Amino acid sequence: MLRYILWRIAMMVPTLIMISILVFTIIELPPGDFFESHIEEMRAIGEKADMEEIEDLKARYGFDKPAPLRYIDWVTKFAMGDFGYSFEYRMPVADVVGDRVWLTVLVSTVTITLTWLIAFPIGIYSATHKYSWGDYGFTLLGLLGIAVPNFILALVMMYFANIWFGTSIGHLMDPSYINEPMSLAKFKSILEHLWIPVLIISTAGTAGMVRRVRANLMDELHKQYVMTARAKGLHPFRTLMKYPFRMSLNFFISDIGSILPSIISGAEITAVVLSLETTGPMLIRALQNQDMYLAGSFLMFLAILTVIGVLVSDIALAILDPRIRLQGGRTK
Amino acid sequence: MITRRSILALMAASTLARPAFAAAINDEPEALRDAVRAGKLPPMRERLPQVPRVISLEGPDLAPGRTGGKIRILVGNQRDIRYMPIYSYCRLIGFDRDFNFQPDILRDFEVERDRIFTLHLRPGHRWSDGSPFTAEDFRYVWDDMFHNKELHKGGMPNVLRVADKEPVFEVLDPVTVRYSWDDPNPDFLAELASPVATRLMQPSAYLKQFHPSYQTPEKLAELVAQQGVEDWVALHQKMSRSARPENPDLPTLDPWRNTTPPPSGYFVFERNPYFHRVDQNGQQLPYADTVTLSVGSGDLISAKTAAGESDLQLNNIDFSDYTFLKGAEERGVIKVDLWKRTQGSRTALIPNLNCTDLVWRNVFRDVRVRRALSLAINRDEINKAVFFGLGQPSANTVLPDSPLFKTRYRDAWAAFDPDQANALLDEVGLKRESPRGQRLLPDGRLCNLIIETTAETSYETDVLELVTDYFWRIGFRIFTHVAHRELFRQRIVNGETIMALWWGLDNGVPTADMSPRELAPTSNDQIQWPLWGLHELSGGGDGRPPETDEARMLLDLFHRWRLADTLEGRTAIWHQMLELFTQQVFTIGIVNSVLQPVAKNRRLRNVPEQALFGFDPTSYLGVYMPDTFWFEGDT
């Protein structure tokens, strides 16, 4: 086991190098660079671009150098903890991301927890009462949750929250609290705004999760060991929780790999629509503007979290289900 | 020429004028009262320059008001705090509402033969941190910024050069500076009054700490490290940036100063206690204590405005939001007015005379083709269908609000006459031989015209939809190609675009004193001739010189305008250029005088109900002086 883990950790390095090359290439692909899109945007409002400063930035950040050199420059600095400079914000990437990370973690953790809290009981109910009215009802709700695009739901809910409760449209708090240090009033304002994005983002996730819990659990329910346990007189609920439910959790554990990155990136589109002060909209803007160090560093973070997440879920799976062999094909 | 003696006389006169203000001048804005009482700020009388600028608020919808309150504005992007210096519109010399030059930060100025510009500051004028604003601040920019090889690698800003020569700069006394050129520089005043003016002065007392001539290397290195920049040049640039007021410590002369360092989703601009304007009662402006910009998704701005979350909204809303906003007016706290956009044309079809497709290029260089395309468009129908009939069908030219307007320019080749259009095209020899009546290009290809657009507003696609039918009648088939703005621009400069849908002249309400550069090939953003414009812009180093007589004539006229030293001379040249530009139909304008909704809080006074909306020359809101806007009722 330990050897396996060490091996996996060693493998992460080449994986990340491959990913960094991909990230860099993809960001380089569209024609033009940040400076061109910046000049265009200035022109859009009729402003004269400060050409001198732009030339200066170009030279300073090596945009006159060929791409491979810039890649090496970026990667080595990234490895040493310097995440580069955001041209859009004209400050180091680390400063730009700042507080947003915490708000994003808040939104995501609440959302993920809520998703689980709703999805598991419903999934278990649906599996044990399959083809009942309850099952059909939840299935219908679930399908609606998947079918309605999040951003539309966001718009509709924002409208009603504004009309009925007078909540300001979008954002995670009342704008006047944005620069304030955390206080009771600010926290209340966050709570007042938080439920909308949480509810919206969790609808789709919940629906998918219910279906997966239901399907996985149904596979297990009719297996022999369940019947044996029941025949021996174990309490039905205990039977359910201790054996088939545990077995059906495999999919959930392997999901952890994707949960980690989603905690810091969150549901981008919904966040854009709702103008949340999270990192998602920032990433999208960075990509649109070709603010490449900001976008690149961000994507690399997500990649690192994914790789770690996958490792964690592999280990957790092995612990949860002894039938899973870490050595894979070698034991055959 | 003003002498020291006349300044003293003026100063004396200003002290004599004081008593008129004396009664009201004690009326400190409430936001500052505590600071004044505690001795942290001098009283209003001492904060104002000796000769403040008096704004007379008299008129049908103008009234002097009272201080206090917060104006909330929504923006779509953090970098939109650059709107604040434009909205604030404090310039050495600014335009008034009728586009006359008006000393603003300056007490006075003199111009001799368009060559020698003497600028008189207001004695006792201070930056927002209380440091004096004097000729030293001009000298600092001149010597330590413009002439510093590291800060300004390219040397002096282009706008200050005439015939490639720099002016002579002199400090005559602490409140007088002079710029003199050998040749006339008629652009100079308009440049100073422009929405993003070249800064001739900076708060030197503050900035000297970032400059190696005034700072020890050790301290400078410490500051560089503290700000996370690479060297002192980047440090100086970062700390002195005024077009985007991101440094809360940088003193300003504007009515409000930023107090929020980025990154942030919410910027608070507080009143500048040393602002130089007063109303006729002697009350120091601005009236509103605070202006806040809150950053959110640009698409939500009209919804939020309707919900009453903005007190003054001009940007990020468009005419297509008007009915929605008007509906909100009935239940909400907002009021929506319509201003008139100053663009020469809201949408215009622009053939690229520099495109790489030789056949199309030659076709478009034939003026008969450009005229025919223009005649084929039913502007009236577009105006009714897309702009609710509220615009004005017109060629791409100046608006009636400009003193240079003539109906002849508006109507030049702008009638709807498909028969004449067809006749012109037949005359050119574009044969109609395809079975469906489509015309053929001289090389035998079908006339398939690809029109490129960014489709940033819904108008673009709506207009193109209608144009498709009009052009089919004259044997042209249209295809639309949508691209992101950057790609769109790049394709034009590379000559890949044959025709684009864009807007017309930026400044549709010029006076003869404003530069006619938009009418001649002077810049590479001009879609009809990007390469010719680039040639002029780069001083002949890049691009190509104009290849048609008319374009050459326009450029020649533009050069002559720069040398003309009388208003009559400049007016005559403007008319010659407008005549040529419209008769040649270099750009096919469709509709102008289109309306722009402006939403404001019902209680916000002094916001004009009818006004012009545009970047140049009105600075969006600037010439209407937002520092005079005030809240009626409780604040």
Side-chain angles (χ1 to χ4, degrees):
Chain A
M1 181 80 174
L2 192 67
R3 237 186 83 183
Y4 170 77
I5 293 174
L6 287 177
W7 168 246
R8 281 291 301 267
I9 291 176
M11 279 308 290
M12 277 160 72
V13 176
T15 314
L16 285 174
I17 291 178
M18 285 300 293
I19 293 175
S20 70
I21 293 175
L22 271 177
V23 163
F24 190 85
T25 320
I26 290 170
I27 294 174
E28 277 281 299
L29 274 182
D33 52 33
F34 170 77
F35 304 102
E36 275 168 35
S37 50
H38 178 67
I39 293 169
E40 275 321 313
E41 202 161 306
M42 304 264 268
R43 273 190 195 135
I45 66 157
E47 192 176 294
K48 284 170 284 187
D50 191 346
M51 290 306 290
E52 230 164 82
E53 190 180 344
I54 286 169
E55 285 303 319
D56 204 53
L57 279 176
K58 269 190 175 180
R60 194 179 298 261
Y61 292 96
F63 273 76
D64 37 4
K65 282 188 261 173
L69 276 182
R70 270 184 289 146
Y71 165 75
I72 291 171
D73 203 42
W74 170 63
V75 159
T76 45
K77 278 190 177 163
F78 187 90
M80 295 190 307
D82 175 359
F83 306 129
Y85 183 85
S86 160
F87 300 111
E88 160 102 3
Y89 294 89
R90 303 198 224 191
M91 52 175 70
V93 168
D95 294 354
V96 173
V97 178
D99 292 351
R100 283 180 175 247
V101 171
W102 303 114
L103 282 170
T104 318
V105 170
L106 174 72
V107 174
S108 304
T109 346
V110 176
T111 314
I112 291 170
T113 323
L114 188 73
T115 310
W116 293 348
L117 284 181
I118 302 176
F120 277 113
I122 295 182
I124 294 170
Y125 176 86
S126 288
T128 47
H129 299 78
K130 63 177 171 182
Y131 312 131
S132 67
W133 280 107
D135 181 22
Y136 284 130
F138 285 128
T139 305
L140 182 69
L141 266 180
L143 289 180
L144 280 180
I146 296 178
V148 178
N150 278 355
F151 71 93
I152 291 194
L153 203 59
L155 287 174
V156 172
M157 284 187 60
M158 233 164 23
Y159 176 77
F160 286 110
N162 181 253
I163 299 264
W164 291 340
F165 309 119
T167 310
S168 62
I169 292 182
H171 299 288
L172 267 179
M173 62 194 91
D174 199 76
S176 54
Y177 290 114
I178 288 178
N179 303 319
E180 301 290 310
M182 183 55 84
S183 63
L184 198 64
K186 177 170 176 171
F187 189 66
K188 267 166 73 183
S189 180
I190 292 181
L191 285 188
E192 194 187 314
H193 285 77
L194 190 64
W195 65 273
I196 298 183
V198 164
L199 208 61
I200 292 164
I201 303 171
S202 43
T203 45
T206 311
M209 194 136 213
V210 167
R211 300 307 290 167
R212 275 177 290 170
V213 172
R214 181 179 179 270
N216 277 290
L217 194 53
M218 272 164 58
D219 275 354
E220 297 292 327
L221 276 180
H222 298 287
K223 290 202 172 149
Q224 297 240 317
Y225 69 93
V226 183
M227 292 185 192
T228 315
R230 277 203 194 132
K232 291 200 169 190
L234 199 60
H235 185 271
F237 185 72
R238 230 191 111 107
T239 320
L240 184 69
M241 283 298 146
K242 196 160 161 93
Y243 303 108
F245 178 64
R246 192 172 142 201
M247 286 304 106
S248 71
L249 277 184
N250 281 8
F251 86 93
F252 169 73
I253 301 294
S254 41
D255 258 7
I256 291 179
S258 61
I259 285 176
L260 264 190
S262 76
I263 283 182
I264 75 151
S265 80
E268 285 90 352
I269 302 295
T270 315
V272 168
V273 172
L274 290 171
S275 316
L276 300 186
E277 285 77 23
T278 58
T279 45
M282 183 179 263
L283 173 61
I284 289 186
R285 269 208 73 83
L287 287 170
Q288 276 173 346
N289 293 328
Q290 304 183 333
D291 190 355
M292 61 172 302
Y293 293 120
L294 181 55
S297 300
F298 217 102
L299 292 176
M300 272 316 288
F301 271 123
L302 295 184
I304 292 172
L305 285 176
T306 314
V307 173
I308 295 175
V310 170
L311 177 68
V312 170
S313 56
D314 280 358
I315 296 170
L317 268 182
I319 296 169
L320 179 86
D321 187 347
R323 291 172 300 177
I324 291 171
R325 291 273 166 270
L326 296 176
Q327 285 77 9
R330 251 190 281 164
T331 50
K332 188 160 184 200
Chain B
M1 154 109 199
I2 257 203
T3 60
R4 184 176 278 273
R5 195 186 306 154
S6 54
I7 286 193
L8 287 174
L10 251 160
M11 282 163 67
S14 69
T15 40
L16 285 180
R18 273 276 157 81
F21 292 142
I25 217 158
N26 297 320
D27 193 14
E28 282 290 349
E30 210 178 320
L32 300 179
R33 249 173 238 168
D34 287 343
V36 173
R37 216 168 286 149
K40 282 186 209 136
L41 269 183
M44 188 197 290
R45 175 202 294 262
E46 287 161 38
R47 293 197 311 265
L48 284 169
Q50 282 163 27
V51 197
R53 178 174 178 199
V54 183
I55 308 287
S56 172
L57 294 165
E58 271 160 33
D61 48 357
L62 286 177
R66 57 198 183 85
T67 54
K70 173 160 92 176
I71 299 179
R72 295 165 303 158
I73 298 176
L74 304 169
V75 293
N77 187 335
Q78 158 162 299
R79 54 160 90 128
D80 286 346
I81 62 168
R82 65 193 161 188
Y83 283 138
M84 276 307 284
I86 301 175
Y87 285 171
S88 299
Y89 198 56
C90 280
R91 301 289 177 265
L92 290 170
I93 296 161
F95 291 119
D96 65 9
R97 290 184 179 207
D98 304 316
F99 304 120
N100 301 310
F101 291 118
Q102 189 76 245
D104 176 21
I105 293 174
L106 294 182
R107 182 175 55 73
D108 201 3
F109 64 95
E110 284 137 49
V111 183
E112 279 173 59
R113 289 170 296 134
D114 277 348
R115 272 160 233 209
I116 302 165
F117 298 82
T118 312
L119 315 180
H120 303 285
L121 307 186
R122 297 175 188 274
H125 196 166
R126 286 166 188 280
W127 294 92
S128 57
D129 64 344
S131 62
F133 166 49
T134 62
E136 169 64 10
D137 299 320
F138 288 80
R139 189 210 58 80
Y140 179 78
V141 171
W142 184 263
D143 287 340
D144 296 314
M145 291 177 67
F146 289 169
H147 283 100
N148 185 300
K149 280 279 170 294
E150 284 175 87
L151 264 184
H152 274 249
K153 292 194 183 65
M156 184 99 350
N158 255 331
V159 288
L160 291 179
R161 283 198 211 145
V162 176
D164 228 28
K165 274 183 288 188
E166 289 179 8
V168 174
F169 169 77
E170 297 157 89
V171 174
L172 301 186
D173 64 54
V175 287
T176 316
V177 294
R178 176 180 288 162
Y179 295 84
S180 25
W181 282 268
D182 297 340
D183 297 305
N185 189 3
D187 262 0
F188 188 57
L189 295 184
E191 166 61 29
L192 292 183
S194 72
V196 184
T198 303
R199 300 275 289 190
L200 296 178
M201 70 295 181
Q202 289 278 13
S204 58
Y206 171 76
L207 287 177
K208 278 177 182 170
Q209 59 176 314
F210 307 116
H211 201 291
S213 310
Y214 304 93
Q215 181 62 282
T216 58
E218 298 80 40
K219 183 78 182 133
L220 203 57
E222 196 186 313
L223 286 166
V224 166
Q226 203 181 339
Q227 292 294 331
V229 287
E230 310 249 313
D231 52 20
W232 80 268
V233 174
L235 177 73
H236 197 284
Q237 276 171 353
K238 179 173 180 178
M239 304 320 268
S240 67
R241 193 174 294 130
S242 47
R244 250 166 92 175
E246 286 171 340
N247 175 8
D249 295 330
L250 181 73
T252 177
L253 299 169
D254 288 355
W256 297 279
R257 59 191 177 83
N258 181 18
T259 59
T260 317
S264 174
Y266 187 68
F267 290 91
V268 180
F269 285 74
E270 299 280 2
R271 66 182 309 129
N272 166 6
Y274 295 93
F275 191 56
H276 65 283
R277 295 181 194 162
V278 296
D279 67 9
Q280 68 257 48
N281 300 327
Q283 173 62 55
Q284 188 182 27
L285 296 169
Y287 287 133
D289 287 331
T290 314
V291 177
T292 64
L293 302 186
S294 70
V295 185
S297 155
D299 305 324
L300 277 187
I301 286 181
S302 56
K304 295 177 124 207
T305 306
E309 290 179 27
S310 170
D311 296 313
L312 187 60
Q313 199 61 40
L314 301 92
N315 289 93
N316 284 86
I317 52 177
D318 208 335
F319 189 63
S320 44
D321 301 314
Y322 180 59
T323 39
F324 169 68
L325 291 171
K326 205 69 187 165
E329 193 180 274
E330 280 157 28
R331 59 186 163 82
V333 289
I334 59 163
K335 180 166 183 324
V336 190
D337 292 321
L338 287 171
W339 291 9
K340 197 200 268 189
R341 292 187 80 112
T342 57
Q343 282 150 345
S345 184
R346 183 70 177 93
T347 47
L349 287 172
I350 307 180
N352 186 353
L353 303 183
N354 296 148
C355 67
T356 47
D357 187 323
L358 259 179
V359 181
W360 273 114
R361 192 202 297 173
N362 287 329
V363 166
F364 280 146
R365 284 196 187 170
D366 191 324
V367 64
R368 290 171 296 181
V369 174
R370 300 196 298 265
R371 286 174 178 167
L373 293 178
S374 181
L375 287 171
I377 297 172
N378 188 346
R379 291 178 174 75
D380 217 32
E381 192 173 272
I382 292 182
N383 183 28
K384 285 189 183 124
V386 184
F387 299 101
F388 301 94
L390 294 169
Q392 166 68 51
S394 167
N396 178 21
T397 183
V398 297
L399 307 189
D401 308 73
S402 161
L404 300 165
F405 173 78
K406 282 186 182 170
T407 41
R408 201 168 69 223
Y409 305 145
R410 183 185 71 200
D411 298 338
W413 306 96
F416 176 50
D417 192 346
D419 296 335
Q420 198 190 347
N422 271 317
L424 279 168
L425 292 173
D426 290 339
E427 199 183 308
V428 174
L430 297 177
K431 293 191 194 68
R432 256 191 134 131
E433 277 174 2
S434 101
R436 296 171 63 204
Q438 197 174 351
R439 286 183 192 274
L440 299 180
L441 287 171
D443 66 346
R445 281 185 292 163
L446 288 170
C447 274
N448 287 334
L449 183 57
I450 299 170
I451 300 186
E452 306 202 3
T453 166
T454 57
E456 282 167 11
T457 66
S458 57
Y459 300 142
E460 272 111 26
T461 34
D462 292 348
V463 166
L464 280 177
E465 200 63 34
L466 291 166
V467 169
T468 308
D469 290 347
Y470 308 145
F471 278 13
W472 182 241
R473 280 196 232 172
I474 56 166
F476 279 66
R477 212 165 144 206
I478 287 189
F479 296 89
T480 308
H481 179 259
V482 179
H484 256 286
R485 191 190 282 245
E486 296 90 63
L487 200 57
F488 171 81
R489 285 283 189 185
Q490 217 169 10
R491 288 176 56 82
I492 290 166
V493 178
N494 293 346
E496 290 160 74
T497 303
I498 303 170
M499 185 179 261
L501 186 78
W502 194 239
W503 58 60
L505 303 174
D506 263 331
N507 180 358
V509 288
T511 63
D513 281 330
M514 296 183 199
S515 167
R517 59 174 175 260
E518 282 192 80
L519 300 175
T522 52
S523 159
N524 62 342
D525 3 304
Q526 294 169 313
I527 295 170
Q528 67 272 35
W529 44 45
L531 290 184
W532 302 346
L534 182 61
H535 186 261
E536 172 71 12
L537 188 73
S538 63
D542 218 337
R544 283 202 302 270
E547 290 150 325
T548 68
D549 288 339
E550 290 78 15
R552 265 194 293 272
M553 276 159 71
L554 281 171
L555 192 58
D556 188 47
L557 283 165
F558 168 70
H559 288 149
R560 277 173 40 206
W561 178 89
R562 293 209 59 166
L563 294 175
D565 47 13
T566 61
L567 182 65
E568 293 73 40
R570 290 201 278 270
T571 313
I573 293 173
W574 255 103
H575 281 297
Q576 274 174 292
M577 289 181 77
L578 281 170
E579 180 79 37
L580 199 59
F581 188 79
T582 50
Q583 282 302 318
Q584 286 293 317
V585 202
F586 283 118
T587 55
I588 305 170
I590 297 174
V591 174
N592 65 19
S593 305
V594 169
L595 301 172
Q596 164 74 30
V598 171
K600 64 172 186 199
N601 188 312
R602 264 182 200 291
R603 298 189 292 111
L604 196 62
R605 291 289 312 269
N606 284 355
V607 186
E609 280 177 19
Q610 287 187 327
L612 294 171
F613 176 86
F615 175 71
D616 197 5
T618 56
S619 296
Y620 296 125
L621 194 62
V623 299
Y624 306 106
M625 292 199 266
D627 48 304
T628 64
F629 298 171
W630 57 281
F631 285 99
E632 207 165 32
D634 297 334
T635 48

